[in-house]
Amino acid sequence: MNGNASLAIASPAIHTWSTDAVPPPQRLDYWIGAVCEGFLEMHVTSARAGSFGATLESAPLGAIGVNRVRGSAQDVYRTQRAIAHSRSNYYYLLCKTDSPWVAVQDGRSARMLPGDVVLVDSRRCYELHLLQSADTLSLELPTAWVESWLPDAGDQVARRIDGQSGWGRVLSCFAQELSPQGALKPPLPVALLTDQLGGLLALATGAAADAGGSAAPGEGARAALRRRVLDATRERHAEPGLTAASVARGLGISERSLHRSLSDGATTFAAALTGFRMQVARRMLGDPRFDRLGIADIGFRVGLTDASHFVRQCRRHLGLTPGALRRQR
C-alpha cells in the first residue's frame, strides 16, 4: 500500500479502508496493507484472491478500539516477524455472527460458532481462519486493561466463549451492540461502557474456567500460569543462556509474575530449566542413535555450550558423568 496515500475516509473519527479503492488484481495486497495499518502487522491469504473484497471500519471508544471487518473468506497469520515489527500490542476480542470459523494460538484451536467470542494476544503468534466470510467484530483492548480484569489473561487466549449461554451470551450480545458508528455517540459514558465490557469479560471467562474444573478461585489461574511458564521453559531449554526475563517476555508477563508462579509450585526458574536440560541429556546419552555425537555436542543440544559445565551438571543432577552414563547403558 502506498504510504503517501490517505486511507481515511467517511469521517474524521471513523477510519475506513476498502478494497474498492483499487483494481481487482491489487485488492488482496491492498488489504494486507490496510490490516497492517488499521490493526497491526499480519499476513493474509485468501483462496478467493481473484474476486477478493473487504472493508475495515475503525473508531476509538476511550482506550478501546472498535473495529468492523466485512469481506471475503481469508486466513490471517500473526507471525514472529510481524510481532518483531510491531510498535504496540493488544488483546483482541473477536466475535463473528454469520458463520463458523477457527482461531489458533498457543497450541489451542478454538472452533467458533456464530455468536461465540474469543480472545487472542498479539504478543504471540496466532491464526484466524475465516472460512466463509470475514464479517467480524474486533475489539482492540490494551494489554494492561485486560490483565487488570483477568489475572490469568494469557491462559484465556484461543478459548471459545460460548455465545449462546450464560455470561458468554451476555458478553456476545453486549459486544455486538458496539460499532464504530456507535463509538462516536456512545449511549452512556465511555468509562461506564468499558467497565461493563471488562466485567462481562471476567464473568464469561470465569464461567468457562469453572466449567472445566473445580479449582478454587485464583488457584486455577496460578496453576495455569505455572504450566505456561514450565511449558515455555521446556520448549526453549536448548537456547544457550536462556533467562527468566526472556521467557517472561515471550509469554507477555512480568519477570516477577514468572518467579512468583514457580515459587507457588516450590521450584525456581533455574531448577526447572536445569531439570528439563538434564532430562533430555539423560535420554540422549541413553540412546545408541546419539553415539555419533560427542559429549560436547550433546551438551550444546541441551543449551550448555561449555562442555566442562555440562559434565559437572550431569554429575550433580544425574549422579554420573556423561561418559559414565553412556557406559552404564
Side-chain angles (χ1 to χ4, degrees), residues 34 153 182 201 246 309:
L201 180 60
S246 177
H309 180 55

Side-chain angles (χ1 to χ4, degrees), residues 93-115:
L93 189 68
L94 307 171
C95 181
K96 193 171 187 298
T97 59
D98 64 331
S99 60
W101 61 291
V102 178
V104 180
Q105 188 166 47
D106 285 0
R108 289 191 290 270
S109 179
R111 299 187 176 276
M112 310 293 293
L113 299 176

Side-chain angles (χ1 to χ4, degrees), residues 254-276:
S254 68
E255 188 176 353
R256 179 183 176 189
S257 294
L258 180 147
H259 288 302
R260 187 168 58 241
S261 72
L262 293 177
S263 66
D264 286 344
T267 190
T268 65
F269 175 78
L273 176 58
T274 299
F276 294 137

